[in-house]
Amino acid sequence: MTIRTTSSGTARLRFAALAAAPLLALVAACGGGEGVRDHGSDQVASVPEAPAPDAAPAGKPSSAPPAAEGKGAFYDAQMVYVRCMRTKGGSPDFPDPKLSGYLDWSKINKVRDPQGDGSDTKGGRNGVCGPELLAAMNLEPKRDKQKDYESMLAHAVCMRDNGVSKFTNPVMSGGGVMPGGDPDPVNPQLDVESPAYERAREACKGKLLEGLDGMQ
């Protein structure tokens, strides 16, 4: 059965080309070689737990800030983007980022799309908030690309196991990670707003490390 895609899903994929370079620092600017996409392998490395803050020596306070603080340059830049989305971007209900600075996609996915083109989720109306989004992504903390890959691979397998059979695996290429998902983003084959896809996404959301939700 052919799976339709909605206009909002298509627009999100189109804007991904704008944000891909710095977005989540997953794709390296250097390096070479074509990655080979593994579409069907179910061999998944264990998904690592998020690392805990370094423990302080006995009798000494920890130098790591409490998790509840979580506000720094990354968070502040994301708030600039959020405020842009609420004003110029045409999405007045766009949610605050998490305290970690990452966008809260569980809430963003519930934001209505008045334009019918996905402009309320990435970059705003006509991409007006694209510069703010890219500035925030440039301040994202450094990530472990191997752990990101393993997390996205586990998520891709989970999506297929939950009925989204065409969901492809991520690819390690040029020192970075290319997310999996739709096998043909130019001519999308997955309806990301269908009930079946939503059920699979809900079932598999725990496979993705923080900051990777919304990537694939």
Side-chain angles (χ1 to χ4, degrees):
M1 179 177 64
T2 301
I3 304 176
R4 297 183 299 103
T5 186
T6 61
S7 56
S8 61
T10 302
R12 290 170 190 167
L13 289 167
R14 288 174 180 168
F15 187 80
L18 171 65
L23 185 61
L24 303 183
L26 290 176
V27 182
C30 59
E34 294 294 328
V36 179
R37 183 180 296 278
D38 178 5
H39 294 277
S41 174
D42 288 354
Q43 299 301 315
V44 184
S46 299
V47 179
E49 298 292 338
D54 293 336
K60 294 184 180 180
S62 172
S63 59
E69 290 181 6
K71 296 183 180 180
F74 182 43
Y75 178 91
D76 292 342
Q78 288 282 39
M79 279 304 305
V80 171
Y81 168 63
V82 166
R83 293 187 187 105
C84 180
M85 290 294 290
R86 291 172 179 169
T87 53
K88 295 186 292 183
S91 184
D93 297 324
F94 201 85
D96 283 349
K98 301 175 184 178
L99 289 177
S100 62
Y102 289 106
L103 296 176
D104 191 338
W105 284 92
S106 65
K107 295 180 180 178
I108 291 174
N109 287 331
K110 297 177 181 178
V111 175
R112 296 302 87 198
D113 183 8
Q115 302 294 321
D117 60 1
S119 63
D120 59 352
T121 54
K122 288 188 179 180
R125 186 184 297 118
N126 298 321
V128 67
C129 297
E132 287 81 359
L133 174 60
L134 296 182
M137 292 302 96
N138 280 328
L139 292 171
E140 182 195 12
K142 185 177 180 180
R143 301 187 65 93
D144 185 319
K145 295 181 178 63
Q146 180 62 34
K147 290 182 178 179
D148 284 350
Y149 170 77
E150 292 170 358
S151 173
M152 286 191 285
L153 178 59
H155 176 260
V157 172
C158 180
M159 291 293 286
R160 293 196 296 273
D161 288 346
N162 280 272
V164 187
S165 60
K166 293 185 178 181
F167 201 101
T168 62
N169 286 340
V171 175
M172 289 289 289
S173 177
V177 185
M178 297 297 292
D182 200 299
D184 187 1
V186 177
N187 299 294
Q189 300 180 36
L190 301 181
D191 182 354
V192 299
E193 294 181 0
S194 69
Y197 191 96
E198 290 287 349
R199 287 193 296 270
R201 178 159 54 195
E202 181 66 21
C204 299
K205 64 182 181 180
K207 300 293 185 180
L208 291 172
L209 295 174
E210 185 174 32
L212 296 182
D213 51 330
M215 281 296 294
Q216 70 168 22

